Amino acid sequence: MTALKSMPEENSEFPPVLLSSGECQVVHRIPGRTRFRIPLLGEDPDSTAAVREVLESTPGVTDIRINRMSRSLVVRYFPESSVEAQICRRVSDYLRQLAGRDETETDLSTAEETTEEDAGSNLRLPVAAVSLALLSRFPRLGGLRLVARVAFLAAAFPVARRAFESVVVRRRLNIDCLDFLALSLSAGQGKLVTPAMVILLHELGDAIRERTARATEVQTATLMDAIGRFAWVKYDPDREPEQIPSDRVQVGDTVVVYPGEQIPVDGTVLQGEAVIDQQSLTGEAMPVVRRPGESVLASTLLRSGQLYLRADRVGMQTRAALSIELLQKAPVHDTRMANYAEKVADRLIWPSLLLAAIVLGATRDPARAAAILTLDFVTGIRVSIPTAFLGALNHTTRHGILVRSGRTLEQLAEVDTVVFDKTGTLTEGTIAITGVTVVEGGLPADEIARLAAAAEQRLTHPVAEAIVEYARNQGLTIPTRGEWFYEVGLGVRAVIDEREIWVGSERFLELSGVEWGGGLPELDGESQSLIYVACDRKFQGVIRYTDPLRPESDRLIRALQESYGIEVHLLTGDNPQRAAQVAQKLSIPTSRVYAEAFPDEKARIVRNLHRAGRTVAFAGDGLNDSVALAYADVSISFERGSDIARETADVVLMNNNLLDLLEAISISRQTRNLIDQNIALVVVPNLAALGLASTIGLNPLVATAVHNGSAIAAGANSLRPLVEHQLDWRNSG
């Protein structure tokens, strides 16, 4: 097996350029080629094209490669030219300029301000109409009567327009038609206060609904970037590889992938060994080693090594591209939280209209017909239900839970199945060292950790980084590493303090001729992953590591299954052994565990559960979870999750604490009960008054009092949880 000589250490001639938005750092340099690490490339899609344009205008630059997923920029130039410093300066100047701009924030704030202004402008006319109508009732201000009528007509115009569009364009009656008739009958009798108040209440309900409408849509740009935009194809064995767009690669082409690059095709390894980070597809923090004859997938990241691949699936036929297609075909729901209110209210349109017509025909009394139309149940439902959802959304926000819409709360209250991704959701998603086990008579544990950290320093493998971090946390001094060699997928050999150290897999030590002595030390019964350490060809012990569970995972799963009666499933791209181990710890039945699941398989499992009649919530945090998130009835992610996971999710746990999910479910179920109470508060008194109005008659003012009173009572009931929580907060303070 060929050893790969160590890469040059970080270049110190170009110190990192610190910016408010991140940093630009030269991480590797050889004559004619420099690699930058620029975090902003992964945060701002527009910066990619702009950085490329800046560098293409730099004399001496021959090639530019940008990888948004790894936040890296590779620039090739004429070695004899003096453009290195100029490149760094131009990139830094551009990033400083970009950091000083806040266009994105301005656009977002402008959009929010526009929404607020629109809501405010919709309420101005009704408020003015009500105010003028009240003032015109005073004898001394009788001259305002004409102005009050004009204000009322202006406020009623949107209702009339919507009613006209509903009848003429959509050819159906809706709430606006009923509102328009009620307003016309009341205004026709010369009354302005009552119809103006009705308009104000309606607009207030609409404003509440608009504020809770979902503000974001599912985005696929990040997934598209994950596939990669270019590929290095070797057409002739005697010529250097050529860079072409990834969608122009043909099946059977030989593709070369260099360290730090995204693999652009699904293919089979022809030559080389490499460590592949598959987190973008499987969500797993542990990279895998790929050798000749084994398969690799597009959108995965080549951490170290170099591969020659035979392209098997290209373009939109790759597994990553199929995930994009699934995401684009995901069902799009109307997320206006007033859906439930509108459905209930729409069912009452024809009965109310028919009854009013019968009474008007029998009595010839417009007042009684107006009373019936006023007692339409609609206003109380349209105002109280959005208010209940607004209160609930305010409550969840106070607890650090972002809920996109009232529809999400409706669905969350009905959830009976929760599917969890494993890595990064139920687990920490990072490698953690759990301890060091030594052989009898060997080096002490601290010395093994110190030597292993020295050998692993500056390697990009997650386990290597975890070992170095562990040694630092133990307060150990990490010595300088001398000559070292790294075997891809096996381990590292290094000279440290004039001693030869091996750190890696059991097979690595065997191939190196290490003496095992008394053999492996005894480990506890729990299965853990191991890194083997030897000093001067003598085995010294093992370093244990794992992807630990979140501290709150066990409590969450137990509460969901026992207290809420929710069925829990586990989905993971990890191997079956690790999946079973996590499921056992969390008491999840093995029949509900799915291992080695790629994004399309996760989406299929979620859809199958939905088709079986389950209301499914899916919780995940990675790019690979975005498709399943889109297909779930309720999608849940974290503030620290990937950008597309946060955008796709209906619920975002801003505190990154799984237990907040219990709070969200509890609030949603309380809101459902509150809505049931509100419907009763609206329907019962209005139904009683409707019976009186249609039989012995009812004064329109009394009908208005019952109608508005029930709406106010329901609205006040909707605000009750907010008042109670505010009082609890003050008492606790």
Side-chain angles (χ1 to χ4, degrees):
M1 182 171 297
T2 304
L4 296 180
K5 202 169 193 302
S6 63
M7 299 293 288
E9 303 289 356
E10 275 187 13
N11 187 283
S12 59
E13 296 180 18
F14 295 94
V17 181
L18 299 180
L19 301 171
S20 60
S21 61
E23 64 177 18
C24 169
Q25 185 178 19
V26 176
V27 294
H28 178 64
R29 182 174 68 91
I30 59 176
R33 182 179 181 274
T34 302
R35 179 184 295 277
F36 297 86
R37 181 177 292 115
I38 307 175
L40 194 62
L41 290 178
E43 300 169 6
D44 183 0
D46 295 334
S47 65
T48 303
V51 167
R52 181 181 296 277
E53 183 177 350
V54 167
L55 292 179
E56 284 177 346
S57 62
T58 303
V61 173
T62 60
D63 183 58
I64 303 164
R65 286 188 287 148
I66 299 176
N67 190 321
R68 284 190 59 212
M69 288 298 295
S70 59
R71 273 73 168 172
S72 70
L73 164 67
V74 178
V75 184
R76 295 180 184 270
Y77 45 88
F78 295 119
E80 63 276 8
S81 64
S82 58
V83 298
E84 295 165 309
Q86 186 179 2
I87 291 171
C88 191
R89 184 175 64 253
R90 297 198 69 173
V91 171
S92 300
D93 289 345
Y94 168 74
L95 290 177
R96 283 197 182 94
Q97 179 186 357
L98 193 63
R101 295 198 323 237
D102 57 354
E103 292 180 0
T104 302
E105 296 177 2
T106 302
D107 291 342
L108 290 175
S109 61
T110 302
E112 292 175 358
E113 291 172 2
T114 301
T115 302
E116 295 291 337
E117 290 176 2
D118 290 344
S121 62
N122 289 339
L123 291 174
R124 287 170 190 163
L125 276 176
V127 169
V130 170
S131 301
L132 290 170
L134 289 172
L135 291 174
S136 67
R137 295 177 66 89
F138 292 94
R140 294 182 180 179
L141 300 175
L144 289 176
R145 189 74 176 172
L146 178 60
V147 179
R149 288 182 180 276
V150 173
F152 169 74
L153 290 175
F157 177 74
V159 179
R161 183 182 59 196
R162 291 195 297 267
F164 177 80
E165 291 175 352
S166 177
V167 174
V168 175
V169 179
R170 293 188 293 273
R171 299 185 182 278
R172 62 182 294 268
L173 293 176
N174 66 357
I175 285 293
D176 294 309
C177 300
L178 201 60
D179 291 343
F180 178 70
L181 288 175
L183 293 174
S184 300
L185 285 174
S186 297
Q189 294 180 291
K191 300 173 182 178
L192 294 180
V193 176
T194 298
M197 283 290 296
V198 169
I199 293 174
L200 177 60
L201 288 171
H202 287 177
E203 291 297 336
L204 180 61
D206 289 339
I208 292 172
R209 289 198 302 275
E210 291 300 329
R211 286 194 61 183
T212 58
R214 184 170 182 170
T216 59
E217 298 178 353
V218 173
Q219 299 178 1
T220 61
T222 305
L223 273 177
M224 291 297 295
D225 288 335
I227 294 179
R229 301 294 184 182
F230 70 89
W232 291 97
V233 179
K234 195 171 182 63
Y235 293 108
D236 189 333
D238 299 326
R239 296 174 57 188
E240 291 295 316
E242 297 181 21
Q243 186 185 49
I244 65 172
S246 58
D247 57 2
R248 287 176 50 193
V249 178
Q250 302 295 316
V251 173
D253 282 350
T254 299
V255 177
V256 185
V257 188
Y258 298 99
E261 293 183 350
Q262 215 79 21
I263 296 177
V265 298
D266 290 356
T268 303
V269 178
L270 299 175
Q271 180 183 339
E273 292 184 0
V275 175
I276 308 294
D277 186 343
Q278 298 189 127
Q279 191 164 11
S280 62
L281 276 181
T282 68
E284 296 310 310
M286 275 299 300
V288 297
V289 179
R290 289 293 180 259
R291 300 182 175 89
E294 297 182 330
S295 298
V296 296
L297 299 171
S299 85
T300 56
L301 180 67
L302 195 149
R303 280 183 170 268
S304 60
Q306 180 174 318
L307 294 179
Y308 288 76
L309 315 173
R310 182 186 67 243
D312 297 331
R313 288 187 297 273
V314 299
M316 297 307 293
Q317 299 304 313
T318 62
R319 185 180 287 271
L322 291 175
S323 298
I324 296 173
E325 185 179 4
L326 280 172
L327 185 59
Q328 292 173 334
K329 291 182 179 179
V332 179
H333 300 281
D334 179 6
T335 56
R336 282 175 59 96
M337 51 131 315
N339 283 350
Y340 181 50
E342 296 291 354
K343 288 179 181 178
V344 174
D346 282 346
R347 294 172 184 170
L348 301 173
I349 292 176
W350 278 107
S352 298
L353 190 60
L354 183 61
L355 184 58
I358 293 174
V359 170
L360 180 62
T363 64
R364 304 293 181 182
D365 186 353
R368 293 181 66 173
I372 292 173
L373 289 176
T374 300
L375 295 165
D376 56 11
F377 308 96
V378 174
T379 300
I381 292 175
R382 291 179 67 187
V383 172
S384 66
I385 292 180
T387 304
F389 281 122
L390 181 62
L393 294 173
N394 185 285
H395 189 188
T396 56
T397 302
R398 288 174 181 268
H399 284 77
I401 307 167
L402 173 61
V403 179
R404 301 287 189 185
S405 67
R407 174 193 170 276
T408 298
L409 282 174
E410 294 173 10
Q411 292 288 89
L412 195 57
E414 304 297 329
V415 164
D416 53 23
T417 303
V418 179
V419 181
F420 288 97
D421 171 59
K422 179 180 75 69
T423 305
T425 303
L426 294 177
T427 69
E428 295 284 359
T430 56
I431 301 301
I433 304 300
T434 59
V436 180
T437 303
V438 303
V439 298
E440 186 176 353
L443 296 174
D446 284 352
E447 182 66 8
I448 290 176
R450 191 176 74 93
L451 294 173
E456 297 276 14
Q457 61 186 318
R458 296 187 183 276
L459 295 182
T460 59
H461 195 286
V463 176
E465 294 170 351
I467 291 174
V468 174
E469 183 68 19
Y470 174 78
R472 288 173 178 165
N473 292 338
Q474 296 295 313
L476 304 177
T477 301
I478 302 176
T480 303
R481 177 177 60 190
E483 182 184 2
W484 61 281
F485 293 91
Y486 177 54
E487 298 275 4
V488 176
L490 292 175
V492 61
R493 176 176 65 83
V495 176
I496 300 166
D497 292 342
E498 298 183 352
R499 290 182 288 183
E500 198 168 15
I501 306 299
W502 283 265
V503 182
S505 66
E506 180 180 5
R507 180 167 174 261
F508 179 52
L509 271 62
E510 288 177 346
L511 293 174
S512 302
V514 167
E515 298 176 9
W516 292 97
L520 297 176
E522 291 187 7
L523 302 171
D524 52 31
E526 182 179 340
S527 173
Q528 295 188 65
S529 300
L530 305 175
I531 288 292
Y532 294 77
V533 182
C535 178
D536 293 332
R537 296 192 185 276
K538 292 183 179 180
F539 176 59
Q540 299 295 329
V542 294
I543 299 176
R544 308 188 306 275
Y545 67 94
T546 187
D547 178 10
L549 288 173
R550 287 176 177 263
E552 70 271 20
S553 292
D554 181 60
R555 180 180 169 189
L556 169 74
I557 300 302
R558 187 168 60 251
L560 287 175
Q561 295 184 138
E562 297 176 3
S563 302
Y564 289 84
I566 291 176
E567 189 175 284
V568 174
H569 293 248
L570 176 64
L571 272 178
T572 178
D574 209 344
N575 62 60
Q577 292 76 19
R578 290 179 183 170
Q581 182 181 346
V582 171
Q584 183 179 9
K585 288 181 180 179
L586 298 176
S587 300
I588 300 175
T590 55
S591 59
R592 300 175 189 165
V593 179
Y594 311 88
E596 297 179 340
F598 285 90
D600 52 339
E601 295 166 328
K602 291 183 178 182
R604 177 180 56 79
I605 292 167
V606 169
R607 282 185 294 177
N608 288 344
L609 288 170
H610 180 77
R611 289 167 180 168
R614 315 291 297 185
T615 302
V616 184
F618 180 82
D621 72 321
L623 176 66
N624 60 299
D625 299 320
S626 55
V627 181
L629 287 167
Y631 276 88
D633 294 297
V634 179
S635 50
I636 303 160
S637 190
F638 301 92
E639 190 273 336
R640 292 179 184 171
S642 67
D643 291 342
I644 195 168
R646 288 198 309 272
E647 291 298 321
T648 307
D650 299 309
V651 179
V652 181
L653 307 180
M654 304 302 291
N655 297 325
N656 297 293
N657 191 320
L658 276 173
L659 293 179
D660 287 343
L661 176 58
L662 298 178
E663 185 71 22
I665 294 175
S666 177
I667 292 172
S668 68
R669 293 186 175 184
Q670 292 172 7
T671 304
R672 180 181 59 186
N673 295 335
L674 196 65
I675 289 172
D676 292 339
Q677 296 172 15
N678 289 343
I679 291 176
L681 285 173
V682 171
V683 170
V684 172
N686 277 273
L687 190 61
L690 187 62
L692 294 175
S694 58
T695 53
I696 63 176
L698 190 66
N699 190 294
L701 290 178
V702 176
T704 301
V706 172
H707 174 261
N708 290 344
S710 64
I712 292 171
N717 188 54
S718 296
L719 296 175
R720 177 170 49 83
L722 282 178
V723 176
E724 291 175 352
H725 290 301
Q726 184 70 15
L727 292 176
D728 291 342
W729 178 80
R730 288 180 178 177
N731 293 334
S732 64

